[in-house]
Amino acid sequence: MTKTAYSKKGIVALCALVYFTSYFSRKSFAATLFGMLTAGALSSTTAGLIETAMFIFYGAGQLLSGFLGDRVKPAVLLGVGLGTTALCNGILPLMPSGEWMIPVWALNGLAQAMLWPPIVRILATSLDHERYVTANLIVTTAAHAATILLYLYVPVCLNYMSWKAAFLTAAILAAVVLVIFLIAITRVLPSEPTVGGTAKNASPEEKHSIGAVLLHSGILPIFGAIIMCGILRDGIETWLPTLYGQAFGRDAGESVLVSVILPIFSVAAITVVTAFHRKSFFNNEARGAAALFLFAAVMCVPLSLLITAEAAAARYICLLLAALVCAAMHGINFLLISCLPGRFARFGRSSTVGGLVNAFIYIGAATASYGFPLISKHAGWSTTVAVWIGVAAVGIALAIVAYRKYTAFIKTEE
């Protein structure tokens, strides 16, 4: 095995490990949410504020992290992010009330923002685009594996220990991975900046300002589509256990456990999208996003009608439909958050664009975290799901608007 091959495989493995830890230590709050509500640790309104604060700081942090990620060593951002998220998960269970949790989880959002943009830069500058897409599949699958493990582990905590155990476990995991990262980072990362694994000097393309690059690419409407994706993806992931428990009268342990279906379906969706991205329909990210938004809208129609049904079969059908909608959003997330930034490596802007797109998706996530509980409280879950249809329709329209100019942009790359 050559040193180059070893480095590239090591890079992907290390990025996958970091992103696994990122998801476990970021989704720890959403996974334990219904259990915390049931235990009276906080109110639903406060919970919405905690998640909203995290998403706001995560989104804003993406802009800063994306900017720094193209200018400072990725290892610096990744190290600080892992250390801070370990601290936040460790101290959150010690807070005396829900209100005290808000600044802690907001800081965790900022810490988490330091992880994705440098990962994008590392992968985009070390691999060609085809291998970059495959590496993103591996890294993203690791994140969903973390989600599956978390949603299997949290019911054990709720039934035999406490919701606090989930956060302490996330803190220990982040601390251990930080040590592994610091030991491994100098062994796997290339010493020279590269594009597609080849050492390079600054090219004329890199001299364009980020504003000029964004206008030339035609992705400005895609930013709006990403917000719509964030509303549906994170809104469903965060509130599905609560929706399932409240709409169908199920207990906290069962409601959290059923959420395991979401990452399983999402991994399947991302695998399919990756396969088609190489040669077929989804190799144009705008076109693929429009198709997946349409699929989600169609799935939401029967979901909105069945959410109030009392039959046992209805809750299983609703769970399946919600999982399909969430899977479609993860497919869009993979196209627009993982694949799209790699198109900008030739401009030296992959981390910046990676930070931008991630910031926009968490604008949507923050909107959903505060908006969904308000809508469900005052109008019911059926109306909430009907709103999802409108969100998907806006996503379709924005992706279509971006399609022509973005298509011309990626053809120049090819």
Side-chain angles (χ1 to χ4, degrees):
M1 182 180 293
T2 65
K3 183 178 180 181
T4 300
Y6 172 82
S7 294
K8 289 182 179 179
K9 290 180 179 179
I11 286 168
V12 175
L14 188 58
C15 288
L17 178 61
V18 170
Y19 211 45
F20 176 96
T21 306
S22 171
Y23 261 55
F24 197 97
S25 57
R26 172 154 46 96
K27 292 182 176 292
S28 50
F29 184 86
T32 58
L33 176 57
F34 194 41
M36 294 170 72
L37 293 173
T38 303
L42 72 171
S43 67
S44 60
T45 301
T46 303
L49 288 173
I50 293 170
E51 279 285 82
T52 299
M54 191 277 286
F55 288 140
I56 289 173
F57 275 76
Y58 185 86
Q62 288 290 332
L63 300 176
L64 176 62
S65 180
F67 175 83
L68 294 175
D70 283 323
R71 291 161 177 81
V72 302
K73 291 183 177 180
V76 174
L77 292 177
L78 290 170
V80 173
L82 285 171
T84 305
T85 197
L87 175 65
C88 291
N89 274 272
I91 66 175
L92 185 130
L94 306 178
M95 294 297 101
S97 68
E99 287 73 18
W100 283 84
M101 296 179 185
I102 296 175
V104 174
W105 215 237
L107 179 61
N108 189 45
L110 186 61
Q112 293 283 336
M114 298 180 185
L115 303 178
W116 177 246
I119 287 176
V120 169
R121 179 188 172 186
I122 290 170
L123 295 178
T125 57
S126 303
L127 308 169
D128 59 53
H129 190 69
E130 182 175 346
R131 290 180 179 175
Y132 168 81
V133 172
T134 302
N136 266 288
L137 172 62
I138 296 170
V139 172
T140 305
T141 300
H144 288 296
T147 306
I148 293 171
L149 179 62
L150 182 64
Y151 277 101
L152 289 173
Y153 178 62
V154 166
V156 176
C157 294
L158 297 179
N159 290 329
Y160 300 103
M161 294 178 283
S162 165
W163 58 266
K164 296 180 180 181
F167 290 101
L168 295 176
T169 302
I172 293 170
L173 173 64
V176 170
V177 171
L178 174 60
V179 174
I180 295 172
F181 174 81
L182 292 176
I183 294 172
I185 193 67
T186 57
R187 298 176 178 269
V188 300
L189 283 185
S191 57
E192 296 295 331
T194 62
V195 169
T198 304
K200 68 170 186 71
N201 296 314
S203 69
E205 288 179 309
E206 293 180 2
K207 297 178 181 178
H208 290 84
S209 68
I210 183 62
V213 171
L214 295 178
L215 288 173
H216 173 63
S217 67
I219 69 168
L220 295 182
I222 291 179
F223 290 154
I226 291 171
I227 293 175
M228 301 303 109
C229 177
I231 290 174
L232 292 177
R233 188 198 69 170
D234 289 274
I236 293 173
E237 287 189 344
T238 300
W239 291 101
L240 181 62
T242 304
L243 182 157
Y244 185 84
Q246 292 180 351
F248 299 107
R250 315 311 292 179
D251 63 34
E254 179 183 344
S255 297
V256 172
L257 189 60
V258 298
S259 296
V260 172
I261 193 175
L262 296 182
I264 294 174
F265 273 65
S266 297
V267 169
I270 293 168
T271 303
V272 171
V273 169
T274 301
F276 282 107
H277 185 277
R278 292 192 181 100
K279 298 179 181 179
S280 186
F281 189 85
F282 291 108
N283 64 357
N284 183 307
E285 288 84 6
R287 182 173 59 201
L292 290 170
F293 271 124
L294 177 60
F295 175 81
V298 172
M299 293 299 101
C300 284
V301 173
L303 177 59
S304 66
L305 299 175
L306 291 172
I307 198 71
T308 56
E310 297 181 359
R315 75 171 183 265
Y316 297 120
I317 295 172
C318 286
L319 182 62
L320 174 62
L321 292 171
L324 289 171
V325 174
C326 195
M329 293 306 104
H330 274 284
I332 294 172
N333 181 82
F334 183 74
L335 289 172
L336 303 184
I337 307 302
S338 299
C339 298
L340 183 146
R343 305 282 192 184
F344 295 83
R346 57 192 167 117
F347 295 95
R349 302 291 186 180
S350 56
S351 179
T352 301
V353 175
L356 276 171
V357 293
N358 232 353
F360 280 104
I361 204 164
Y362 282 97
I363 291 174
T367 302
S369 291
Y370 193 71
F372 282 5
L374 286 179
I375 297 172
S376 64
K377 180 179 179 179
H378 295 289
W381 284 109
S382 181
T383 301
T384 304
V385 176
V387 171
W388 298 356
I389 301 173
V391 171
V394 174
I396 295 170
L398 289 168
I400 290 173
V401 169
Y403 174 73
R404 179 177 295 181
K405 194 168 185 179
Y406 183 72
T407 300
F409 171 73
I410 62 176
K411 282 185 177 179
T412 61
E413 177 191 43
E414 296 167 355

